């Protein structure tokens, strides 16, 4: 919402102010409205600069991948790696993922970057064959917008075929936000991924729009307990109870459990 004459003295100025207010409302979530104020102008300018930087970074291939190990607690065996996207800005240095990944998703630039991510991950997994053997799993995160794409499985299959990956060597991680909009689509998308030999992990379980319906109705292979429960587990009886309940439930459903953010000996021993 923009009002005359406070937000603009002519039509162009009013429309520009209303447009900025609209983006603020969208950023706050759906079913919102915002009145334009001057502070929004600075935020909009910063966002535009960041968005332009992201576009330049994609074209200039300033993004890279790093890999975080997943270790089996039972025997210390390396189960696999989670691929994580990183951005090294030419002048600003390392840009936090919490800053650029939401922007990639909001602007749907993640779709433009998606093919490159799958190719990079598949190529790295192929290189590891000589070091770790055929059983190693590489997990790649997929955003809500990517998960809604009808050609997702086909795109991943192309990357797998190019680097001769075998079924079971690649895992796709999705969040619960990807599932809430259309359960039928989610079920079909997971089936398509299974058909090409890709397993599916549910990331950050326990935060956001958490529902046991997802575990009951969807063929999930792996569930990742959110790091906030792990961080508070040793001091909060509630966090401990939640973590234990999730582990017991997944055992009964034959779903693999990964605890995110195990950073101390005490957490590991628990």
């Amino acid at each position: 919402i923009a009002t005359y004459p406070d937000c603009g003295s002519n039509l162009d100025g009013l429309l520009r102010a209303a447009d900025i207010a609209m983006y603020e409302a969208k950023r706050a979530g759906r079913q919102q409205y915002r009145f334009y104020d001057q502070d929004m102008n600075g935020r909009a300018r910063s966002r535009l600069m960041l968005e332009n930087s992201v576009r330049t970074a994609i074209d200039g291939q300033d993004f890279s991948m790093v890999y975080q190990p997943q270790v089996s607690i039972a025997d210390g065996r390396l189960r696999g790696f989670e691929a994580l996207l990183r951005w090294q800005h030419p002048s600003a240095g390392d840009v936090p993922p919490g800053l650029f990944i939401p922007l990639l998703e909001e602007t749907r630039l993640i779709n433009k970057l998606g093919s490159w991510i799958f190719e990079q991950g598949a190529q790295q997994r192929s290189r590891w064959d000589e070091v770790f053997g055929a059983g190693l799993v590489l997990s790649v995160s997929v955003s809500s917008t990517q998960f809604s794409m009808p050609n997702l499985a086909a795109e991943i299959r192309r990357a797998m075929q190019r680097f001769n990956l075998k079924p079971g060597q690649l895992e796709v991680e999705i969040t619960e936000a990807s599932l809430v909009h259309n359960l039928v689509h989610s079920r079909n998308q997971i089936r398509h991924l299974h058909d090409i030999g890709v397993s599916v992990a549910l990331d950050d379980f326990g935060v956001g729009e958490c529902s046991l319906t997802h575990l009951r109705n969807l063929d999930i292979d792996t569930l990742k307990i959110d790091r906030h429960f792990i961080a508070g587990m040793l001091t909060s009886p509630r966090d401990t109870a939640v973590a234990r309940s999730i582990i017991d439930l997944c055992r009964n459903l034959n779903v693999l459990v990964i605890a995110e953010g195990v950073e101390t000996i005490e957490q590991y021993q628990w």
Side-chain angles (χ1 to χ4, degrees):
I1 300 172
T3 59
Y4 173 86
D6 300 329
C7 303
S9 58
N10 55 39
L11 183 61
D12 287 341
L14 280 171
L15 283 173
R16 189 162 54 249
D19 199 42
I20 291 170
M22 180 189 70
Y23 277 108
E24 287 282 325
K26 281 184 176 179
R27 203 164 61 87
R30 299 292 171 182
Q31 310 297 326
Q32 303 275 337
Y33 66 88
R34 289 290 183 271
F35 284 91
Y36 173 81
D37 64 51
Q38 287 297 329
D39 291 339
M40 289 181 184
N41 208 28
R43 288 196 296 270
R45 193 177 291 114
S46 299
R47 180 191 168 87
L48 186 61
M49 288 171 61
L50 184 60
E51 191 175 321
N52 289 336
S53 294
V54 169
R55 292 179 190 275
T56 304
I58 293 174
D59 295 334
Q61 298 183 330
D62 295 331
F63 287 99
S64 62
M65 306 290 284
V66 297
Y67 301 91
Q68 180 168 282
Q70 298 174 339
V71 180
S72 171
I73 284 186
D75 55 13
R77 180 180 56 85
L78 189 67
R79 184 257 179 180
F81 288 94
E82 177 185 356
L84 302 169
L85 188 64
R86 293 292 182 262
W87 178 19
Q88 180 77 22
H89 191 277
S91 56
D94 286 327
V95 182
L99 187 64
F100 71 82
I101 288 179
L103 184 65
L104 283 169
E105 293 177 356
E106 283 174 36
T107 56
R108 296 188 174 266
L109 288 170
I110 192 72
N111 295 346
K112 187 177 179 181
L113 199 58
S115 298
W116 179 84
I117 293 171
F118 298 139
E119 293 267 326
Q120 288 290 306
Q123 184 178 28
Q124 183 62 66
R125 175 60 195 85
S126 178
R127 287 178 185 148
W128 279 332
D129 252 357
E130 299 173 7
V131 185
F132 298 114
L136 189 86
V137 179
L138 179 68
S139 297
V140 180
S141 292
V142 169
S143 71
S144 298
T145 57
Q146 287 174 292
F147 190 68
S148 65
M149 290 163 47
N151 64 335
L152 175 65
E155 200 169 293
I156 294 174
R157 183 173 57 198
R158 274 195 298 273
M160 292 176 67
Q161 289 173 341
R162 181 177 175 187
F163 295 102
N164 299 314
L165 261 59
K166 300 177 182 67
Q169 291 184 332
L170 202 63
E171 182 173 67
V172 160
E173 292 188 11
I174 57 176
T175 61
E176 290 181 292
S178 304
L179 306 174
V180 295
H181 301 301
N182 190 332
L183 205 58
V184 174
H185 167 79
S186 298
R187 191 181 292 114
N188 289 335
Q189 192 74 289
I190 290 170
R191 179 170 50 80
H192 293 323
L193 291 168
H194 283 160
D195 288 344
I196 63 170
V198 173
S199 56
V200 178
L202 188 56
D203 197 12
D204 300 334
F205 186 78
V207 297
E209 301 183 52
C210 175
S211 173
L212 294 178
T213 306
H214 300 147
L215 293 182
R216 187 189 70 182
N217 293 337
L218 299 173
D219 194 8
I220 301 293
D221 304 286
T222 305
L223 184 143
K224 301 178 73 178
I225 304 176
D226 186 76
R227 63 178 57 250
H228 290 96
F229 291 112
I230 306 303
M233 200 171 53
L234 299 177
T235 55
S236 167
R238 286 176 175 267
D239 284 351
T240 306
V242 169
R244 180 175 281 117
S245 299
I246 292 172
I247 292 168
D248 290 342
L249 177 62
C250 288
R251 277 201 185 118
N252 292 330
L253 293 172
N254 197 30
V255 172
L256 180 72
V257 177
I258 291 180
E260 292 189 297
V262 176
E263 296 174 349
T264 68
I265 292 295
E266 291 76 19
Q267 290 169 339
Y268 167 80
Q269 288 171 337
W270 187 93

